[in-house]
Amino acid sequence: MVGANQACIFCQIVRNPSSTRLLHTDEKVIAFQDIKPAAQRHYLVIPKEHIPTVRDLQRRDEDYSLVSQMLSVGQELLLKDAPQTIHKFGFHQPPFNSVDHLHLHCFALPFVPRWKAIKYTSLGPFGGFIEAETLLEKLRPHGSLHSKVLSSSDSNLTGADVFLQQHSYPQSR
């Protein structure tokens, strides 16, 4: 495993997946239930590669693709396990993260108990919790198909062309 941290509890789960009941595994990420759930369903999706926090991510295709994949896995799990609930997805930002290994919190709301919602709230410029979609906007690479803004030279594009430009996704790492 690239960049593994011997002391990291999540790296230990990646190295020894039999120690935890995995809900999903693929070449890039794994998912499992949070050991201290704060909602009806509370899953974590982590990269297999050790990435300490959201601050270690950059505006580039690889990081955008990874976070997109993490979000997609979380959405699929909650749509399967709790389809009738409201879902919330996001990351803690330092110094509010409890484990220094990037992890996406996936919630089927409501929070239980309700006061747990405070722990998963944005504190604006002070950090706190960042919604997955907000993080993806920050990671969207400049000049890629993800951020292409139509110029006047694009005026002869069809509606289908515009849709494809706005909804194209990066390749995996």
Side-chain angles (χ1 to χ4, degrees):
M1 181 173 81
V2 176
N5 179 330
Q6 297 299 321
C8 173
I9 186 67
F10 289 169
C11 286
Q12 292 172 19
I13 292 171
V14 170
R15 282 193 309 273
N16 184 14
S18 63
S19 66
T20 302
R21 185 177 156 261
L22 298 184
L23 304 172
H24 172 90
T25 185
D26 62 36
E27 69 282 346
K28 295 285 182 189
V29 302
I30 63 172
F32 49 91
Q33 187 166 334
D34 192 298
I35 61 169
K36 295 181 183 174
Q40 174 189 349
R41 297 276 191 283
H42 183 175
Y43 302 147
L44 300 177
V45 181
I46 67 168
K48 288 183 174 181
E49 176 184 352
H50 183 81
I51 300 170
T53 73
V54 293
R55 290 196 181 143
D56 296 289
L57 299 172
Q58 299 174 21
R59 185 180 286 268
R60 60 183 182 176
D61 285 333
E62 299 86 42
D63 290 346
Y64 183 88
S65 178
L66 175 65
V67 173
S68 293
Q69 183 175 356
M70 293 171 73
L71 178 57
S72 177
V73 167
Q75 289 170 331
E76 288 175 19
L77 288 171
L78 289 182
L79 283 173
K80 180 181 74 166
D81 295 345
Q84 302 300 320
T85 62
I86 296 171
H87 302 154
K88 182 172 183 166
F89 305 91
F91 301 85
H92 280 110
Q93 300 176 87
F96 300 98
N97 50 313
S98 57
V99 177
D100 281 334
H101 187 120
L102 185 67
H103 54 284
L104 172 67
H105 289 270
C106 308
F107 300 103
L109 300 177
F111 287 106
V112 180
R114 288 182 189 230
W115 63 263
K116 289 268 187 169
I118 295 168
K119 187 176 176 183
Y120 303 97
T121 301
S122 172
L123 299 177
F126 302 108
F129 192 76
I130 184 170
E131 299 275 341
E133 290 293 339
T134 303
L135 179 60
L136 281 171
E137 284 303 313
K138 291 181 178 200
L139 296 176
R140 190 178 309 276
H142 294 295
S144 75
L145 290 176
H146 309 292
S147 61
K148 181 160 173 56
V149 176
L150 296 178
S151 67
S152 59
S153 65
D154 294 321
S155 60
N156 59 353
L157 293 177
T158 67
D161 293 326
V162 172
F163 177 84
L164 290 172
Q165 284 182 344
Q166 293 174 342
H167 294 87
S168 40
Y169 299 100
Q171 298 297 318
S172 297
R173 272 190 190 189

